[in-house]
Amino acid sequence: MKIIKILVHASTWFAPVLVPLIVWLLTNEKDLKRLSLQALVFHFVIWLLVSISIFFSFILIGIPFLIIFGLIGFIAPILGIIRALQDRRFDYPIIGSFIR
């Protein structure tokens, strides 16, 4: 199970939708379902926020948001991998409070 959690978090860099979706569909374990759904929603939200920030970067207001959301999208999965290696629970920022 630890390997699957790490894979879900690491999928950010190679298959951000496919891996969490497959895990969510194939697993019966409540903890893995919660984690994969959080990861899936997190990837969509970060993609949306970065896209909006890119759009607003043309008028300069989006550049700070682009940097912030880019860092969150990069750092959160790394923290998830570290927590999975330690067998500790990890909830994605903001998304974790909505998906339990």
Side-chain angles (χ1 to χ4, degrees), residues 15-31:
V17 175
L18 187 62
V19 172
L21 184 62
I22 289 172
V23 171
W24 185 75
L25 291 172
L26 295 180
T27 190
N28 290 329
E29 190 172 326
K30 185 179 179 181
D31 193 39

Side-chain angles (χ1 to χ4, degrees), residues 44-57 62 65-66 68-71 73:
F44 278 122
V45 168
I46 288 295
W47 176 82
L48 179 67
L49 292 173
V50 167
S51 298
I52 292 169
S53 298
I54 289 171
F55 175 76
F56 283 115
S57 292
F65 292 111
L66 182 62
I68 291 168
F69 297 140
L71 285 172

Side-chain angles (χ1 to χ4, degrees), residues 53-88:
S53 298
I54 289 171
F55 175 76
F56 283 115
S57 292
F58 293 111
I59 55 173
L60 300 179
I61 197 169
I63 292 173
F65 292 111
L66 182 62
I67 293 167
I68 291 168
F69 297 140
L71 285 172
I72 291 171
F74 182 75
I75 293 171
I78 292 172
L79 293 175
I81 291 170
I82 292 169
R83 293 270 177 94
L85 288 170
Q86 298 170 341
D87 278 333
R88 294 174 54 199

